[in-house]
Amino acid sequence: MQYDADLLTSVSQGTLAATLRFFRFKEPTVSFGRLQKWTNVASLVPLNWTAVQRPTGGGIVFHKSDLCISLCWPHGQSPLPTRPQDVYRWIHAVIRDGLMNDQLTMASCRDTCDELQPFAVRECFSEPVGHDLLEGNRKVVGGALRWTREAVLYQGSLHRELTSTQEDHLLSIFQNHLNSCG
């Protein structure tokens, strides 16, 4: 997570261009949002799991074999949206298209929970919010943002099995969308 925090700083300072990266954690890890407190989430971390705080917001995420996506870019860089709510829709549509899976749907208001868990202990993948990707009723793609004056950092996670061919295709689709910058 420190890598992404440093990435945001570098993009904000103009010393690094927009950057996309895919990664997986080496060991079972729980990440929690930058506005959550360790004292609130500590009891939710399974024994022998690592815990780390993300530089983005959002809730608790249990990482085992999920594919994590980090995308950081300067404000105003086309084709990326300029409003936070549009960022989720754009990125998650690219993921859906890249996975070529017609069964993935984008969560709308009707898919979101009426009563969310308390923020301090909210688990990201237990409750869909707008523009998350669902497979049936199960949330499989979620993300969080960090928005500064100069740059934006998106961190997301895909909680479904992917072949290396699917991962390569997804990376290629992202690169194609990002290369369409005006």
Side-chain angles (χ1 to χ4, degrees), residues 3-126:
Y3 184 91
D4 284 346
D6 294 344
L7 180 67
L8 179 60
T9 298
S10 295
V11 172
S12 293
Q13 294 172 347
T15 58
L16 191 63
T19 303
L20 168 71
R21 74 184 190 106
F22 288 4
F23 65 96
R24 284 191 167 78
F25 286 89
K26 293 180 181 177
E27 57 193 14
T29 301
V30 173
S31 69
F32 57 101
R34 74 181 187 91
L35 300 177
Q36 292 180 305
K37 294 182 177 12
W38 171 248
T39 54
N40 294 327
V41 302
S43 65
L44 302 172
V45 177
L47 188 62
N48 297 323
W49 280 48
T50 301
V52 63
Q53 192 165 27
R54 292 188 310 275
T56 55
I60 301 163
V61 179
F62 295 87
H63 303 279
K64 260 186 136 173
S65 60
D66 57 315
L67 178 66
C68 298
I69 297 173
S70 171
L71 176 60
C72 190
W73 67 95
H75 273 292
Q77 180 172 329
S78 177
L80 293 152
T82 57
R83 298 181 332 156
Q85 63 269 32
D86 296 335
V87 168
Y88 293 111
R89 182 183 310 121
W90 189 90
I91 291 174
H92 293 171
V94 171
I95 293 170
R96 185 186 57 212
D97 295 348
L99 295 177
M100 299 182 302
N101 187 331
D102 293 335
Q103 296 178 4
L104 291 179
T105 59
M106 198 166 289
S108 65
C109 289
R110 74 177 185 285
D111 299 309
T112 61
C113 299
D114 291 332
E115 293 194 30
L116 297 173
Q117 295 170 320
F119 175 77
V121 294
R122 186 169 301 153
E123 294 180 27
C124 178
F125 279 82
S126 66

